[in-house]
Amino acid sequence: MDGSAPVGEVRSTCPYCGVGCGVLLRPDGAGGLAVRGDPEHPANHGRLCSKGTALGETVGLGHRLHAPVVDGAEASWDEALQHVADRFSQVVAEHGPDATAFYVSGQLLTEDYYVANKLMKGFIGSANIDTNSRLCMASTVVGHKRAFGTDTVPGTYEDLDQAELVVLVGSNLAWCHPVLFQRVRASGAKIVVIDPRRTASCDGAALHLAIEPGADVAVFNGLLRAIAEAGAVDAGYAAHVEGLDDALAAARADTAKTGLSPEEERVFHDLWIGTEKVVTIFSQGVNQSTSGSDKVNAILNCHLATGRIGKPGMGPFSVTGQPNAMGGREVGGLANMLACHLDLENADHRAAVRGFWNAGPLPEAPGLKAVDMFRAVGDGRIKALWIIHTNPAVSMPDADAVRDAIKGCEFVVVSDVTGATDTARLADVLLPATAWAEKEGTVTNSDRTISRQRAVLPAPGHARPDWDILAEVGRRMGFGTAFDYETPAEIFREHAALSGIAGGRFGRDFDISGLADLSDAAYDALSPTRWPVTSSGKGDRFFADGRFFHPNGKARLLPVTTRPPAAMPTPEFPYRLNTGRVRDQWHTMTRTGLSPRLSGHLAEPYLDLHPQDAAALQVTHADLVEVTSPYGRAILRARLSDAVQPGQPFAPMHWTAETAPTGRVDALVAPVTDPVSGQPESKASLVSIKRMEAAWYGFAVATEKMNPDCDYWAVASTSAGFRMELAGYKAPEDWDATARALFGISDAAAISVSDPARGTARIAFEQDGHIKAALFVGSTPIAIMRDYIAGLPGTAAPANLTGRPPADVVDAGAILCACFGVGINTIVTAIEADGLMSVEAIGEALQAGTNCGSCRPELASLIMRSQHKEAAE
Ligand SMILES: Nc1nc2c(c(=O)[nH]1)N[C@H]1C(S)=C(S)[C@@H](COP(=O)(O)OP(=O)(O)OC[C@H]3O[C@@H](n4cnc5c(=O)[nH]c(N)nc54)[C@H](O)[C@@H]3O)O[C@H]1N2
Ligand SMILES: Nc1nc2c(c(=O)[nH]1)N[C@H]1C(S)=C(S)[C@@H](COP(=O)(O)OP(=O)(O)OC[C@H]3O[C@@H](n4cnc5c(=O)[nH]c(N)nc54)[C@H](O)[C@@H]3O)O[C@H]1N2
Ligand code: SF4
Ligand SMILES: [Mo]
């Protein structure tokens, strides 16, 4: 495959997860974009998940930032950039380089990321550049470096096709890397899920091991013991590894509980030991932990002991979250790294990079890691902060404190595509960046494949690419020629040339020097390329030859011992809060939240609560609950679910002050970190829970944005406009006035029914024969057909205040299949009425599940539920 694409289409890469799916983009000439999977991309072979499929719905310009903003007023680029350069220079002059910091992102393109690092580490002269990858991949980086000598992902996606057993550890692959999950399902490999919570990834799994939170080291130490006892240590491979005896001794001494029965452990051990082609995929259930680095090494130990690494169909596989998490690691995005997998703390590496950049002395000590960085922002040590392509006021642990720290910082610059984020609202200077589909560069996915992102849409207003903004600030700070870039291709070539030094002189794994002379045209046409790419050839899997990157060429097994999460439940905070992702939203929703069909899957922040806990708390399904931790507070919708274990509620991370001000889950999360990787423990914070004693609950729909003023609200996009859940501790006296304020409607006629004795009110507004908005209020959580009501605004239907569709209209229910917009009620009805027995049968009847396949696990569980129901009847 080359850069050329079918007529009218342009090849690019999906901007969401680390699977790195290829897309074919067809702009319609009017700002719209048709998106389909690229059949020739090696990551997805044409498949896309629900988020990739809906990309076209997120490129609208309504929310975009069009021009720089300085102190709240629109400014020219010249003014804004000079101001940023002057303030950073001034802080450096007065307080030294370490009083400045950059906080960047694994979603930046490699070229952007490289320039940010070069500017901070090479020229401003501080190592205070860290990235949201600290919240994401830092523990894996430590684990890899300790075991292999470098941060190397050994395997490739082809291994997933060839594996006979795939173990998912702390990974909800079905929702977070859906195209890889489909790939695993298609291969027919057995699946084992290790997760305290039952997830969509358990669909079709041979085994779900619902471990104690944090017990991963105990599980893999147990496996290592079983490997030794079964005589399954690979004696031939032993020449390539060291530390087996110590690791085994530590494993034998580790008596921590896993939370599993001996039988479950035995089945798992037999399966793992008895299946040579095993890939162990791990993600945030492993990384986001105070023992994250040790969890990674516990997994790597088992693969190294059995020699199951680097060979087809086997190996440990850290799946990366963000589209360029790998690229960030390549350019040295973390505060303790240099570009091209070189180490900041290695004097020879520093000297080489300094010479190559023609820079001043490089900082010798690592800079501040994310959590410490925001502490330093909070206590005034950092006086100038530049945040690029990330939303830390939402996504950092102890998020209220982080928000206050940013608010209180002397000088804050935020580069984003929109000004409507919790972080952007705190900036002194806002810089408008070009977004996906408007910019050019490269990203590296989970299996080291470098793919191009290509521009097909014009930049809105004055927006500029991130690399260009950074380079211009570098020039204005007086670092002239070092930042004289005119195209991303130049930056790519420079990075590739530096990797030749890293690979050639220092024997590092990351070497793409074979691409250092790429012409502009060849860069434009670059097809997906897996590194390493040296002049002597291209890479496939690492470590098949048993050669590792420690000085003696051997891999190291590490003795590790289970450590429980940082804090243990107390009477005051008896619940352990697990957090993570939902299928159809991307992080802080600044893009996926714009898509009605993605927002229809799960439209409100929620807390999954085990029925036993709910009973003890006197909480019923759809109640609102107040969740409190020592750090903050949230209000979430309770969903009773036995997918979570008692005492271990789960909440998704996506909601923000823009979408649900009390739904910011990171306000609850403790800022405790892994001692080596600095990665926060985002999945094991202690909380208390109580029912919110709301006096009223509401549901509103409108064609226009609403202006809520109440204790709880959460908004979501719909095809008709917006829908909103509301609640308050005290009911307003006048519902008509409240509704008019909510909708910003003063003149339109209201149609209303209310029953003050029961605390219910239903008010709709019509204009020119069309429904504009409607509010439904009750003294208990409102039971109405939300998905039907959400479609009413803008229609000429008579204002319907019953909350139910007319007899001849069916309420489709929450959207399960985002591709074809098929609702849950439609699916359940079809399953029951037509006796559908398989996901395929649902597909034939309703199309649901036949495009991206992301909803197939949920379809399967609906079939199962209906079969259980029948069996019980
Ligand atoms: N839809 C969607 N997909 C995404 C993203 C998104 O925002 N939305 N974000 C992307 C990014 S950046 C990332 S990093 C990835 C994350 O991808 P994943 O890591 O798969 O996602 P999470 O939901 O954060 O967490 C995974 C699981 O860890 C489990 N877990 C919690 N504690 C433990 C534990 O102690 N041990 C074990 N074994 N498991 C535990 C949780 O119950 C959860 O099911 O997803 C990427 N893909
Ligand atoms: N409780 C809890 N917290 C977590 C996690 C968890 O599992 N649980 N996961 C953590 C993980 S793994 C991650 S990766 C983080 C993610 O958290 P964040 O990185 O904070 O979340 P995003 O919403 O992806 O933020 C990206 C921002 O970049 C902006 N943007 C989009 N395109 C561009 C562009 O081209 N240029 C620029 N300059 N800006 C752009 C978006 O509008 C958005 O504001 O969250 C972490 N926080
Ligand atoms: S799996 Fe989905 S979100 Fe991830 S890259 Fe592919 S299409 Fe994008
Ligand atoms: Mo992530």
Side-chain angles (χ1 to χ4, degrees):
M1 171 187 143
D2 61 23
S4 66
V7 176
E9 292 188 304
V10 174
R11 292 209 140 88
S12 190
T13 314
C14 174
Y16 299 124
C17 83
V19 178
C21 296
V23 287
L24 284 164
L25 307 180
R26 183 188 294 274
D28 65 7
L33 197 60
V35 182
R36 66 180 178 114
D38 181 351
E40 291 182 37
H41 197 287
N44 57 318
H45 302 296
R47 275 191 173 279
L48 292 179
C49 76
S50 48
K51 295 180 296 300
T53 306
L55 271 167
E57 286 179 28
T58 65
V59 295
L61 300 181
H63 67 301
R64 291 293 296 279
L65 189 60
H66 289 259
V69 177
V70 177
D71 296 329
E74 219 167 83
S76 69
W77 272 113
D78 185 48
E79 287 167 281
L81 292 170
Q82 198 55 46
H83 186 55
V84 172
D86 288 348
R87 287 301 303 268
F88 267 81
S89 299
Q90 185 192 357
V91 169
V92 171
E94 287 172 14
H95 305 279
D98 288 339
T100 68
F102 290 175
Y103 183 65
V104 301
S105 164
Q107 296 169 58
L108 283 172
L109 304 181
T110 299
E111 294 75 3
D112 304 328
Y113 224 144
Y114 177 85
V115 178
N117 266 279
K118 184 177 179 184
L119 178 56
M120 184 47 97
K121 290 187 181 132
F123 291 84
I124 293 178
S126 168
N128 284 344
I129 171 164
D130 209 40
T131 137
N132 61 2
S133 284
R134 184 69 63 190
L135 319 179
C136 184
M137 306 311 307
S139 297
T140 289
V141 174
V142 167
H144 282 165
K145 287 176 73 179
R146 292 197 298 202
F148 309 145
T150 46
D151 173 22
T152 313
V153 173
T156 69
Y157 290 161
E158 288 77 60
D159 291 327
L160 301 177
D161 307 329
Q162 296 164 17
E164 287 162 8
L165 173 66
V166 172
V167 182
L168 301 176
V169 196
S171 155
N172 184 7
L173 204 72
W175 279 13
C176 295
H177 300 86
V179 167
L180 284 189
F181 185 72
Q182 297 297 331
R183 207 163 158 166
V184 171
R185 287 303 307 270
S187 79
K190 277 200 173 131
I191 299 175
V192 173
V193 178
I194 303 183
D195 191 317
R197 188 170 71 107
R198 190 175 72 242
T199 64
S201 305
C202 298
D203 166 47
L207 195 61
H208 169 218
L209 300 174
I211 58 168
E212 277 293 299
D216 304 80
V217 171
V219 170
F220 283 88
N221 269 346
L223 177 61
L224 190 63
R225 289 194 300 264
I227 288 170
E229 277 155 30
V233 169
D234 183 337
Y237 203 75
H240 304 302
V241 301
E242 59 186 11
L244 176 62
D245 291 344
D246 287 349
L248 204 50
R252 289 199 167 114
D254 189 355
T255 54
K257 288 206 179 67
T258 56
L260 304 174
S261 68
E263 174 63 10
E264 284 175 310
E265 289 183 9
R266 194 188 56 73
V267 172
F268 172 55
H269 295 163
D270 288 352
L271 205 51
W272 204 97
I273 294 167
T275 317
E276 202 193 1
K277 290 196 168 169
V278 51
V279 173
T280 308
I281 290 183
F282 54 98
S283 187
Q284 299 315 335
V286 169
N287 290 332
Q288 290 173 341
S289 156
T290 44
S291 59
S293 309
D294 287 352
K295 289 181 176 188
V296 173
N297 285 103
I299 294 170
L300 302 184
N301 282 351
C302 293
H303 280 274
L304 289 169
T306 51
R308 293 176 183 175
I309 187 164
K311 299 171 198 151
M314 59 186 91
F317 204 142
S318 148
V319 282
T320 49
Q322 299 181 90
N324 203 25
M326 288 284 264
R329 285 144 77 177
E330 288 152 25
V331 302
L334 295 166
N336 48 336
M337 297 293 297
L338 284 174
C340 304
H341 286 192
L342 294 170
D343 287 319
L344 183 87
E345 288 159 284
N346 181 314
D348 295 334
H349 292 186
R350 278 200 308 276
V353 175
R354 179 184 177 182
F356 180 82
W357 280 346
N358 204 4
L362 264 47
E364 295 179 10
L368 294 168
K369 301 187 177 101
V371 170
D372 292 333
M373 179 182 282
F374 282 98
R375 282 198 183 114
V377 172
D379 65 24
R381 276 175 288 154
I382 302 288
K383 298 178 196 308
L385 172 68
W386 191 351
I387 298 166
I388 310 176
H389 210 322
T390 175
N391 194 357
V394 182
S395 57
M396 283 286 295
D398 199 4
D400 287 350
V402 168
R403 189 166 62 178
D404 290 346
I406 299 171
K407 201 188 290 173
C409 182
E410 267 184 45
F411 186 61
V412 177
V413 185
V414 173
S415 300
D416 205 300
V417 297
T418 166
T421 80
D422 292 17
T423 305
R425 293 204 187 276
L426 305 172
D428 297 297
V429 177
L430 252 174
L431 300 175
T434 44
W436 175 80
E438 300 161 4
K439 60 183 189 177
E440 301 276 348
T442 55
V443 289
T444 309
N445 72 5
S446 293
D447 85 340
R448 291 177 272 113
T449 299
I450 299 171
S451 296
R452 280 292 319 269
Q453 277 196 10
R454 295 187 172 89
V456 292
L457 297 174
H462 302 283
R464 286 166 74 159
D466 287 300
W467 65 265
D468 179 36
I469 301 172
L470 282 153
E472 178 70 37
V473 168
R475 290 195 292 270
R476 286 174 190 246
M477 287 183 77
F479 310 129
T481 51
F483 294 93
D484 242 351
Y485 305 113
E486 284 181 4
T487 63
E490 277 175 58
I491 303 167
F492 182 89
R493 285 190 288 266
E494 181 179 315
H495 185 219
L498 179 55
S499 79
I501 297 176
R505 194 182 310 165
F506 299 108
R508 301 274 91 184
D509 57 339
F510 177 71
D511 187 340
I512 54 166
S513 55
L515 302 172
D517 297 322
L518 223 52
S519 67
D520 287 357
Y523 176 80
D524 281 345
L526 186 68
S527 56
T529 306
R530 186 180 288 142
W531 64 257
V533 194
T534 61
S535 40
S536 55
K538 275 197 190 181
D540 189 12
R541 296 176 187 84
F542 275 96
F543 309 142
D545 55 2
R547 279 193 308 147
F548 292 87
F549 293 94
H550 285 301
N552 65 0
K554 292 187 180 188
R556 287 184 194 153
L557 278 80
L558 217 79
V560 286
T561 306
T562 308
R563 276 180 288 122
M568 294 317 260
T570 62
E572 197 186 352
F573 297 108
Y575 297 94
R576 191 176 284 301
L577 177 69
N578 183 4
T579 68
R581 294 162 165 77
V582 303
R583 192 190 78 192
D584 287 355
Q585 294 296 348
W586 179 258
H587 298 157
T588 71
M589 293 199 215
T590 62
R591 290 173 287 168
T592 43
L594 303 171
S595 158
R597 48 177 167 156
L598 295 182
S599 304
H601 181 230
L602 292 162
E604 197 187 6
Y606 65 85
L607 184 78
D608 276 345
L609 197 59
H610 191 276
Q612 271 175 31
D613 294 337
L617 291 161
Q618 296 188 316
V619 166
T620 51
H621 195 71
D623 273 347
L624 287 168
V625 288
E626 295 173 5
V627 188
T628 310
S629 85
Y631 302 91
R633 181 174 168 274
I635 301 177
L636 306 168
R637 185 75 60 183
R639 304 196 321 178
L640 271 50
S641 162
D642 64 3
V644 297
Q645 299 186 47
Q648 301 170 21
F650 172 88
M653 63 169 287
H654 305 287
W655 280 268
T656 70
E658 300 290 317
T659 47
T662 59
R664 297 168 63 251
V665 160
D666 268 296
L668 301 165
V669 174
V672 291
T673 57
D674 178 285
V676 197
S677 71
Q679 179 153 355
E681 187 155 73
S682 312
K683 296 196 170 348
S685 295
L686 298 184
V687 297
S688 68
I689 301 171
K690 80 184 196 19
R691 193 174 167 276
M692 177 187 182
E693 298 302 333
W696 65 276
Y697 297 80
F699 179 70
V701 291
T703 49
E704 307 290 324
K705 275 222 152 98
M706 296 176 243
N707 320 295
D709 177 17
C710 54
D711 301 301
Y712 172 83
W713 61 264
V715 69
S717 304
T718 64
S719 53
F722 301 93
R723 60 186 275 181
M724 186 177 280
E725 302 285 346
L726 311 99
Y729 292 106
K730 191 167 174 295
E733 310 249 306
D734 179 349
W735 281 113
D736 183 81
T738 303
R740 284 181 190 278
L742 174 67
F743 300 129
I745 291 177
S746 48
D747 43 358
I751 310 147
S752 69
V753 235
S754 65
D755 180 347
R758 288 173 53 220
T760 63
R762 297 182 169 199
I763 303 170
F765 294 94
E766 267 185 15
Q767 220 167 34
D768 308 327
H770 290 76
I771 298 172
K772 263 189 90 63
L775 172 66
F776 297 78
V777 180
S779 56
T780 54
I782 313 264
I784 53 170
M785 302 289 194
R786 284 176 165 66
D787 299 280
Y788 164 71
I789 303 286
L792 291 183
T795 66
N800 179 335
L801 293 180
T802 64
R804 277 178 183 69
D808 57 338
V809 179
V810 195
D811 171 37
I815 296 182
L816 254 200
C817 168
C819 296
F820 296 110
V822 191
I824 185 166
N825 296 347
T826 311
I827 298 166
V828 170
T829 309
I831 293 174
E832 290 178 357
D834 304 338
L836 304 180
M837 299 290 283
S838 68
V839 173
E840 284 65 34
I842 297 179
E844 270 169 39
L846 301 168
Q847 280 190 297
T850 56
N851 182 41
C852 79
S854 302
C855 64
R856 292 171 68 92
E858 284 152 285
L859 298 180
S861 75
L862 286 182
I863 295 172
M864 203 125 82
R865 216 185 292 166
S866 123
Q867 285 167 349
H868 281 298
K869 213 169 97 189
E870 267 175 37
E873 274 163 11

